[in-house]
Amino acid sequence: MGREKITLKTNAEILLMREAGLITGRALEAVKKAIVPGISTLELDAIAEATIESFGAKSNFKLVAGYHHTICASINDEVVHGIPSKDRVLAAGDIISIDCGAITPAGWNGDAAFSFVVPGGDEAVSAQRQALSDACEASLWAGIAALATATRLNEVGRAVEKSIRNSGRYGILQDYIGHGVGRSMHEDPAVFNYQTRDLGPVVEPGLVIAIEPMITAGSEKVRILADEWTISTKDGSDGSHWEHTVALHSGGIWVLTAEDGGEAGLAKYGLKPVPVNL
Ligand code: MG
Ligand code: MG
């Protein structure tokens, strides 16, 4: 490690990234509102794309070589990278994770994800899936809160892992992790969802990263499906994925992909997001 090339962002650049983050967040909100039993993941993809384009931005997922959609939509035992399809129709009680990103005309990226349990399913199964999603979301906010005061980046992974372990017996994906965000959707540094021996890079103002825990209700072991994209659990247990793009600047921390800048999620840590002021 230590060979990572981290591109720190100026306050002016973070302000431009906020645009990309807000558009990403609004696309995800639009998708969340549309989730009902009977809708296909391809229809959700179209909603995300229309929302992003309504703000004059583009899907950055479509810029990934070989990927042709605006979202990834991963259902039940799929954890991440599920490909939208007209044949993938949501049923009551399914847990779905939606991952999405926008790139603005100025060339800045946002990247975020949420999980959601489709209403109307079997109560016991839905409660388990909701608990899985809640554990993953809580670990995301624990990681974001850790970033606010971290001196080295491994403090984020430690906080994410600790939160997950405190929530229950969940698997943490090992080979899929968070990353820097900027003019590219995926930049250095690597952002682990677990404790690493390496301290990771120094945390300093201008760092913009996507924190994105990916967990399972069973084993951490996953496999890649025949479509060469979808990451599914080996044991068939359910998966969950939550993600935000977060900026650390001289004034504090700002969750770029959250409409409220992270205010609600950070409240229980006694932290307040600080928007950049030029
Ligand atoms: Mg993402
Ligand atoms: Mg990401």
Side-chain angles (χ1 to χ4, degrees):
M1 311 229 180
R3 281 167 295 152
E4 290 182 308
K5 267 194 121 72
I6 299 172
T7 312
L8 297 175
K9 279 74 184 178
T10 65
N11 279 357
E13 289 171 337
I14 289 171
L15 214 46
L16 291 171
M17 289 195 71
R18 172 63 164 163
E19 261 179 66
L22 276 179
I23 295 166
T24 300
R26 286 169 189 169
L28 286 171
E29 271 313 306
V31 169
K32 190 181 280 181
K33 282 205 184 99
I35 292 177
V36 285
I39 196 163
S40 74
T41 54
L42 193 63
E43 290 172 279
L44 297 177
D45 188 77
I47 290 165
E49 182 168 37
T51 305
I52 289 171
E53 291 186 346
S54 76
F55 292 107
K58 295 266 185 232
S59 159
N60 51 17
F61 282 28
K62 284 193 161 183
L63 302 177
V64 174
Y67 200 75
H68 308 296
H69 294 90
T70 298
I71 61 172
C72 291
S74 309
I75 303 171
N76 298 340
D77 62 327
E78 301 167 351
V79 190
V80 285
H81 301 171
I83 304 174
S85 162
K86 65 175 170 36
D87 300 323
R88 295 307 304 273
V89 174
L90 291 183
D94 281 346
I95 180 170
I96 181 166
S97 299
I98 305 283
D99 192 353
C100 179
I103 180 167
T104 59
W108 296 99
N109 287 274
D111 188 8
F114 70 88
S115 296
F116 187 78
V117 180
V118 184
D122 175 85
E123 260 181 53
V125 173
S126 295
Q128 281 184 358
R129 288 176 166 164
Q130 189 61 51
L132 172 70
S133 174
D134 290 348
C136 193
E137 184 182 15
S139 74
L140 167 61
W141 288 105
I144 294 170
L147 179 68
T149 56
T151 53
R152 300 294 290 260
L153 194 56
N154 77 335
E155 292 167 56
V156 171
R158 189 192 306 152
V160 169
E161 176 169 8
K162 189 175 167 207
S163 173
I164 294 164
R165 303 287 176 228
N166 286 341
S167 292
R169 287 177 61 107
Y170 296 112
I172 303 174
L173 268 58
Q174 299 294 296
D175 295 341
Y176 299 88
I177 57 175
H179 49 89
V181 187
R183 288 199 169 274
S184 299
M185 179 169 52
H186 296 124
E187 299 183 349
D188 284 342
V191 181
F192 296 92
N193 294 313
Y194 43 86
Q195 167 101 18
T196 56
R197 206 174 308 167
D198 190 283
L199 297 178
V202 170
V203 171
E204 51 193 327
L207 186 66
V208 183
I209 57 173
I211 302 176
E212 51 177 318
M214 291 159 252
I215 70 171
T216 79
S219 158
E220 68 196 34
K221 297 238 168 19
V222 290
R223 64 198 175 99
I224 304 175
L225 300 191
D227 62 22
E228 296 183 345
W229 284 102
T230 311
I231 307 298
S232 181
T233 58
K234 273 192 178 166
D235 62 6
S237 64
D238 296 319
S240 175
H241 177 211
W242 281 83
E243 177 179 25
H244 272 305
T245 301
V246 188
L248 185 75
H249 58 93
S250 51
I253 196 164
W254 200 16
V255 183
L256 301 180
T257 44
E259 188 79 37
D260 70 354
E263 188 161 3
L266 289 169
K268 81 171 205 184
Y269 296 94
L271 294 168
K272 262 189 180 300
V274 183
V276 157
N277 282 308
L278 288 184

